[in-house]
Amino acid sequence: MRPLLLAALSLSFALSACAGLKGVPLTLRVEGPAQASVRVENGGTVRTVSVRGSETLTVDPGTYTLTPQPVDGWDTPGARQLGVTGGGEVTFTYQPAGQATRAVLTVFVTGPASADVRVQGAGFDQTLTGVTSAGRSVTLEPGTYTVTGVDALPWRAPTPQTVTLNARQTLDLSLNYGQAQP
């Protein structure tokens, strides 16, 4: 009877230990090819994930380096670093190789949960709604653009930023909001 009790206690302890592990969702999206691989690095842990459209992983909170892998016939987007606490989402936009002249601008918002961001320039004028710390990407023609955050009370938008995009360039831009003073 004693070995049965010991086995039951061991199983109970193992299940309790597993219940203490708390993973959070990390969603990887790929636009362009039907499928691509993304290398996911966190500290010494590295894995490569095959993504067909989108793939949601369960990961430990932390800072991740996400590196899209080459796909024949497509230009590979740049790597991104993402802090994942309660979950995260990132989109990688591939463009056809040799045909791509457009650039990709990804805007990130820090401060409010989300905010609207207006992008203007080179014949383009669009408001990206609900931009978060996970970022929102937009494909643009090469040129100069003004990126303007919209106040998300009680958060104040930062000063508008001007960026110049070259053909086939991928650029990340962070808008750091500040708290409005009472």
Side-chain angles (χ1 to χ4, degrees), residues 134-162:
R136 172 79 56 84
S137 296
V138 61
T139 302
L140 302 164
E141 294 297 328
T144 300
Y145 295 86
T146 301
V147 181
T148 307
V150 178
D151 288 344
L153 297 177
W155 297 91
R156 290 271 183 212
T159 304
Q161 296 185 41
T162 301

Side-chain angles (χ1 to χ4, degrees), residues 2-162:
R2 194 175 252 299
L4 185 57
L5 177 62
L6 183 57
L9 286 174
S10 296
L11 179 59
S12 176
F13 179 72
L15 290 174
S16 296
C18 288
L21 298 175
K22 296 188 184 203
V24 295
L26 171 59
T27 302
L28 305 173
R29 295 187 197 290
V30 171
E31 294 178 355
Q35 180 175 328
S37 295
V38 177
R39 182 180 162 123
V40 179
E41 298 178 64
N42 174 263
T45 305
V46 177
R47 65 178 161 168
T48 301
V49 178
S50 183
V51 180
R52 185 179 303 273
S54 76
E55 181 74 29
T56 300
L57 312 173
T58 300
V59 299
D60 292 331
T63 301
Y64 288 80
T65 301
L66 308 166
T67 308
Q69 301 300 295
V71 175
D72 286 341
W74 297 87
D75 286 334
T76 307
R80 297 237 182 95
Q81 195 166 51
L82 181 67
V84 179
T85 54
E89 182 177 308
V90 65
T91 300
F92 294 104
T93 303
Y94 286 75
Q95 296 185 22
Q99 299 173 14
T101 59
R102 301 181 87 194
V104 176
L105 172 66
T106 302
V107 180
F108 300 89
V109 169
T110 59
S114 69
D116 294 345
V117 175
R118 186 172 182 186
V119 179
Q120 297 172 283
F124 184 89
D125 186 352
Q126 182 178 342
T127 298
L128 308 175
T129 58
V131 178
T132 68
S133 61
R136 172 79 56 84
S137 296
V138 61
T139 302
L140 302 164
E141 294 297 328
T144 300
Y145 295 86
T146 301
V147 181
T148 307
V150 178
D151 288 344
L153 297 177
W155 297 91
R156 290 271 183 212
T159 304
Q161 296 185 41
T162 301

